[in-house]
Amino acid sequence: MLLSFQHLTSTKQLSREDTDAILKVAADMENLLEKKSGDDRLKGKVLASLFYEPSTRTRLSFETAMHRLGGDVVTADGFQFSSLYKGETVEDTIVVVGQYVDIIAMRHPEAGSADRAASVSPVPFINAGDGPRQHPTQALLDLYTIQKEVGHIDGLHITMVGDLRYGRTVHSLSFLLGLYKNVKFTLVSPRELTMPEKVTEFYREKGIEYREAESIEEGLNADVLYMTRVQKERFADQSEYERLKLKYILTPKHLVGKKCTIMHPLPRVGEIDPAVDSNPRAAYFREVRNGMITRMALLSMLLGKV
Ligand code: CP
């Protein structure tokens, strides 16, 4: 199955044919995992896992995905343990690493670093998060989760809650959902953390219905309630972060009589009460497993081993 891209830096690159193909291969990967723990289709292939910002899910799921398909992983985490610390550019780092490996996944704090990396990468490059800008593989795993949990994507009503300004996952997911028909957004955030203009402009250009709100109660009748963390690491003024960090806390009381599927890219830092976890519609830990499944699909497709 062919994809329309060699490098994935933004969900704006993806076509509906791409997402249909990725969701289909992801379903095949899920079946594979149910029958056995994986296979050897990526034997002899090596992934470079470059994480210059903290990560638990993205890094470990990329690495596990590679291992489950028989491939190998080399890793660099933290600026201080790489030559970026000595002043080497992202571009030089990627050209160098591309001499060793078959595919690269990179997380970096600077918006736009992924495009710079992809522009010189000699091997397929995947953006694993570039500052506040994009996190395309999170959006793909979110899409897979929505299809599984809600049963449809066309006609979806999604409420996004929290830090819509700095939360890259809601930017990436918005662009991806723009490929589907009649998707509607309710955007709940403090005024300081509203969805950036580049995303709302995209909704308007595409004729996508959206509504901005400040209270979580206004978004509870959606198909999906997508909670997010306030992104502490993006605030220059930590007192501003402290003021805004727990403006929205989802509790079981909010969900009485509601049918929404509850998602969160994680980590959560207080915005979902753990008492919500036992709600059958709390999908955020299933979402995590879907991350590994979706990344197995993407790695195998980009390496031509479907
Ligand atoms: N969802 C997500 O990107 O989590 P990590 O920061 O742990 O990778």
Side-chain angles (χ1 to χ4, degrees):
M1 256 177 235
L2 286 180
L3 293 169
S4 67
F5 54 90
Q6 188 198 5
H7 308 300
L8 179 60
T9 63
S10 160
T11 47
K12 282 187 122 176
Q13 291 171 250
L14 293 159
S15 67
R16 180 67 187 261
E17 288 72 31
D18 290 326
T19 59
D20 286 349
I22 294 166
L23 294 183
K24 185 181 177 317
V25 177
D28 293 343
M29 291 296 173
E30 187 165 7
N31 285 335
L32 175 71
L33 286 176
E34 269 167 29
K35 291 193 192 111
K36 39 188 192 159
S37 59
D39 64 22
D40 276 340
R41 75 184 69 192
L42 297 186
K43 192 170 167 52
K45 301 288 184 188
V46 181
L47 165 74
S49 166
L50 310 179
F51 278 77
Y52 303 115
E53 254 196 349
S55 168
T56 297
R57 279 145 289 272
T58 311
R59 178 175 167 186
L60 293 183
S61 63
F62 262 119
E63 295 183 4
T64 312
M66 199 67 188
H67 286 304
R68 287 198 180 275
L69 294 175
D72 291 309
V73 178
V74 292
T75 189
D77 59 346
F79 277 104
Q80 67 273 36
F81 302 116
S82 78
S83 286
L84 287 171
Y85 190 66
K86 297 184 231 168
E88 187 167 51
T89 62
V90 166
E91 286 88 338
D92 281 1
T93 301
I94 293 298
V95 172
V96 169
V97 174
Q99 312 304 310
Y100 307 140
V101 303
D102 302 286
I103 190 162
I104 298 171
M106 182 184 84
R107 174 170 291 185
H108 193 284
E110 283 171 31
S113 54
D115 284 330
R116 283 165 40 215
S119 72
V120 296
S121 183
V123 296
F125 173 89
I126 305 170
N127 178 10
D130 61 334
R133 186 174 156 267
Q134 277 264 345
H135 193 349
T137 60
Q138 177 70 43
L140 286 168
L141 77 89
D142 289 338
L143 198 69
Y144 186 69
T145 303
I146 291 167
Q147 188 179 64
K148 274 191 73 182
E149 299 281 335
V150 182
H152 62 92
I153 306 171
D154 287 326
L156 186 82
H157 178 192
I158 181 166
T159 295
M160 294 173 161
V161 181
D163 185 350
L164 308 186
R165 179 177 177 190
Y166 297 122
R168 57 194 170 199
T169 69
V170 290
H171 308 161
S172 294
L173 185 56
S174 291
F175 295 131
L176 204 55
L177 289 173
L179 295 173
Y180 291 80
K181 289 190 198 116
N182 301 322
V183 174
K184 191 167 96 177
F185 292 82
T186 299
L187 307 173
V188 178
S189 69
R191 268 180 225 159
E192 296 84 346
L193 299 176
T194 53
M195 191 66 95
E197 178 65 18
K198 67 175 181 192
V199 182
T200 52
E201 191 178 270
F202 169 80
Y203 297 148
R204 289 192 294 277
E205 275 170 14
K206 299 279 281 183
I208 295 168
E209 188 180 334
Y210 74 98
R211 186 169 65 92
E212 296 188 290
E214 281 191 59
S215 97
I216 201 167
E217 284 76 10
E218 292 176 72
L220 295 173
N221 288 325
D223 300 304
V224 170
L225 185 66
Y226 191 99
M227 299 293 296
T228 67
R229 153 184 90 88
V230 175
Q231 306 276 302
K232 180 179 184 185
E233 61 275 33
R234 312 282 175 227
F235 281 76
D237 177 356
Q238 285 302 300
S239 65
E240 183 72 347
Y241 165 72
E242 291 297 327
R243 190 173 69 77
L244 296 171
K245 69 177 182 188
L246 289 177
K247 187 149 162 68
Y248 304 111
I249 301 176
L250 186 71
T251 70
K253 271 193 193 162
H254 288 112
L255 299 168
V256 174
K258 303 295 177 193
K259 296 209 165 88
C260 48
T261 293
I262 306 145
M263 294 175 63
H264 192 311
L266 302 179
R268 65 175 160 186
V269 287
E271 59 282 340
I272 299 181
D273 181 340
V276 173
D277 298 358
S278 57
N279 185 316
R281 291 182 189 273
Y284 30 91
F285 292 120
R286 295 190 288 276
E287 199 178 340
V288 168
R289 184 167 172 81
N290 293 338
M292 178 179 67
I293 290 165
T294 311
R295 290 174 178 124
M296 286 169 75
L298 190 62
L299 289 168
S300 64
M301 294 173 88
L302 286 173
L303 289 168
K305 299 283 180 186
V306 176

